[in-house]
Amino acid sequence: MQNPAPSHAPRERTQQIRDDIDQSRRRGPLQHIQIPPCPELLAQLQQAMSQPEPDLNLVSRIASSDVAMAATLLRIANGPLFKPVGLPCTTVGQAMTRIGLRESVAVMTGFLAQHAIPVNAPQLARFWERSTKRAIAMAVIAQQLPGLSADLAHSFGLFLHVGMPVLMQSVRGYAATMVEAGARIDRPYIATENANHKTDHAVVGALVVRVWNLPAPLMSAIRLHHDFGALGHDGIEPEIHTLIAAGLIAEHLMRRHEGLPEDADWAGHHQAAMDWLHIGWDELAQWEEAITAQFDAA
């Protein structure tokens, strides 16, 4: 007896998200959202890393083509995180060898995204700093979850809330909406965004990923990252569930590191996330220790 044909429902869900975004961009509330173009160097970097065997020399040339980005890699390679022994790195190639190819690409992606979408609003103070911190936490968690790409996890952490600065730049009154949404306890954050603007940062973040031609699972996970009620639903790819569940944990551990109280998402959905990832409180404590070590070394 043959095995039943695999279900295509998860891929259909991703296609539906893509179609909904495209339609809303043509005729719905997203048509007035201004998405900064994907940086050319990021497009080149994505292309280079999509190859079965990424070319270290090509990635190094991309890194060297922006003086500030190259300086960032050198600063990290010669910083306390790597506790270098011997002579300091003086070239981008040396820095990338010390940091590692994929870790270097993660740094470059963050650098390019931050400069493509500048954030100046006081309501988004430390936005990219916290996004980078979340990305680090996600990459650490991915090391504990066989099958989850560390690159995808890092990108999810980095781009998770990118819809917020884009909305701030595109939509009048969004700053006031952020204040209102953060203060209300009677409904979720995105409910206030939708009530005021007919869209929310999860949708707009997915739109950024779509326009920038980043991986489809990243688009879907960002679109659904507040839809915790869908965790485990068989119509969604398991990898997307894992990103969403890990993202909730990363956010919680980041808040604990900053001395902030737990938020409503964690209070209401942490058990579903932990159940999906098949972890208990002991594992969570171990993850927190590993993530804290990375935060403190950065």
Side-chain angles (χ1 to χ4, degrees):
M1 178 177 177
Q2 290 184 327
N3 291 327
S7 170
H8 296 291
R11 279 180 289 183
E12 290 171 2
R13 180 69 170 118
T14 292
Q15 183 63 49
Q16 179 189 349
I17 289 171
R18 182 186 293 115
D19 292 346
D20 288 348
I21 287 173
D22 290 347
Q23 182 176 352
S24 184
R25 199 173 182 216
R26 287 192 300 268
R27 294 187 294 274
L30 293 181
Q31 61 185 321
H32 302 299
I33 303 296
Q34 300 298 316
I35 304 298
C38 180
E40 177 60 29
L41 290 180
L42 181 56
Q44 294 178 21
L45 188 62
Q46 292 286 325
Q47 176 63 29
M49 293 304 293
S50 69
Q51 304 305 313
E53 291 292 333
D55 185 341
L56 179 61
N57 291 326
L58 174 58
V59 176
S60 179
R61 288 198 297 274
I62 294 170
S64 300
S65 64
D66 185 292
V67 173
M69 184 161 63
T72 298
L73 288 167
L74 284 164
R75 175 178 55 78
I76 293 172
N78 292 320
L81 182 61
F82 291 92
K83 301 180 177 61
V85 177
L87 297 175
C89 295
T90 58
T91 68
V92 168
Q94 291 172 352
M96 290 178 59
T97 298
R98 179 172 289 172
I99 297 170
L101 174 60
R102 297 198 176 276
E103 293 80 359
S104 298
V105 169
V107 170
M108 294 162 66
T109 300
F111 177 93
L112 293 166
Q114 182 172 348
H115 285 77
I117 306 176
V119 178
N120 301 312
Q123 293 84 357
L124 289 168
R126 298 176 56 233
F127 176 83
W128 283 114
E129 178 186 339
R130 296 192 84 248
S131 296
T132 300
K133 192 172 183 179
R134 186 184 306 106
I136 290 171
M138 285 293 298
V140 173
I141 290 173
Q143 294 172 0
Q144 315 301 319
L145 295 172
L148 179 60
S149 161
D151 298 342
L152 187 64
H154 183 279
S155 294
F156 179 75
L158 185 68
F159 286 98
L160 185 61
H161 294 310
V162 75
M164 290 182 173
V166 172
L167 278 164
M168 185 72 76
Q169 295 170 9
S170 299
V171 175
R172 185 178 304 226
Y174 184 70
T177 294
M178 289 191 69
V179 175
E180 178 189 353
R184 295 189 69 146
I185 60 173
D186 61 323
R187 64 186 184 187
Y189 195 103
I190 60 173
T192 298
E193 291 178 318
N194 277 289
N196 292 355
H197 307 296
K198 296 184 173 58
T199 192
D200 59 61
H201 73 274
V203 174
V204 174
L207 173 61
V208 173
V209 173
R210 172 85 170 111
V211 171
W212 284 19
N213 200 31
L214 299 177
L218 180 63
M219 176 195 68
S220 294
I222 289 176
R223 171 63 184 88
L224 299 171
H225 79 269
H226 278 293
D227 190 5
F228 297 108
L231 267 178
H233 191 281
D234 62 6
I236 300 170
E237 294 164 273
E239 185 175 41
I240 293 170
H241 289 301
T242 300
L243 285 169
I244 294 169
L248 182 64
I249 289 172
E251 188 75 30
H252 171 66
L253 297 181
M254 187 169 71
R255 291 178 67 86
R256 281 177 57 83
H257 186 258
E258 295 172 347
L260 298 174
E262 69 177 36
D263 61 11
D265 284 344
W266 177 258
H269 305 288
H270 68 270
Q271 195 58 56
M274 293 171 69
D275 288 348
W276 173 261
L277 298 175
H278 302 293
I279 66 166
W281 294 101
D282 289 343
E283 289 95 338
L284 188 65
Q286 293 169 7
W287 291 10
E288 181 171 17
E289 184 177 348
I291 288 169
T292 299
Q294 288 292 312
F295 286 164
D296 292 343

